[in-house]
Amino acid sequence: PAREETVLPCRPVGGGSDNLSHGGEREMAQRGEIYQCGKQGLLVEVLTPADCTLQCCGEEMAALTANTQDAAVEKHVPAIERNGSTIRVQVGSVAHPMDPDHWIEFIEVLDGDCLQRKYLHPGDAPVAEFTVCGSAVTVREHCNKHGLWKAEG
């Protein structure tokens, strides 16, 4: 079925407009923040800071906060192995399931002003390798059932 969309005005930093609504009560959307639609599950990452509230399906999207400690049976916190400028990321100290109803959607590395991302699919190994420049990186991953997770390394 066709999805009804509402385009609302926005005042992004630096002028211009797009499909965001102005949000006077919330702090600015910051670069790198990830938002999720509560109805459809759509994920949106902010590329440009803006004084806006993101909306989807007529409702405000929720800003995701990355978890850093795991209490679940399946492990979600990214495990980072470094070998020089190469890092290997496995989701969890025990490999996360990659089933059709429960999988890791992506793994990404934030390395200063650089971002690298690998998209995964059910059946893939929950592992990715990246070449990085910095000594300190942030790794994030998103589980379709349990949300956003991160580790520093």
Side-chain angles (χ1 to χ4, degrees):
R3 199 166 85 188
E4 184 179 319
E5 294 186 29
T6 304
V7 178
L8 302 168
C10 175
R11 292 184 296 140
V13 174
S17 67
D18 49 37
N19 295 344
L20 305 174
S21 67
H22 175 66
E25 297 176 16
R26 189 188 175 286
E27 293 184 22
M28 286 181 57
Q30 297 296 318
R31 183 176 70 172
E33 287 183 325
I34 298 176
Y35 289 78
Q36 186 168 30
C37 171
K39 290 185 177 179
Q40 299 291 325
L42 172 73
L43 295 175
V44 174
E45 184 169 356
V46 176
L47 300 179
T48 305
D51 183 18
C52 295
T53 300
L54 282 75
Q55 292 195 352
C56 185
C57 299
E59 296 179 359
E60 186 174 332
M61 295 179 78
L64 300 183
T65 301
N67 295 297
T68 58
Q69 294 185 340
D70 221 335
V73 174
E74 295 90 16
K75 301 299 180 192
H76 291 93
V77 176
I80 304 167
E81 295 176 22
R82 184 181 283 267
N83 184 7
S85 62
T86 301
I87 63 169
R88 180 180 186 273
V89 179
Q90 175 176 303
V91 177
S93 55
V94 174
H96 186 281
M98 294 295 285
D99 301 324
D101 64 339
H102 185 194
W103 77 97
I104 301 303
E105 295 179 303
F106 65 83
I107 300 171
E108 67 181 13
V109 174
L110 300 130
D111 178 14
D113 283 338
C114 298
L115 169 72
Q116 299 177 64
R117 180 180 297 133
K118 179 177 181 182
Y119 292 99
L120 302 173
H121 307 281
D124 291 347
V127 175
E129 287 192 4
F130 302 94
T131 300
V132 297
C133 299
S135 58
V137 297
T138 299
V139 175
R140 299 192 298 190
E141 60 88 355
H142 189 266
C143 171
N144 75 313
K145 281 192 171 182
H146 301 111
L148 190 63
W149 298 80
K150 78 173 182 178
E152 308 284 334

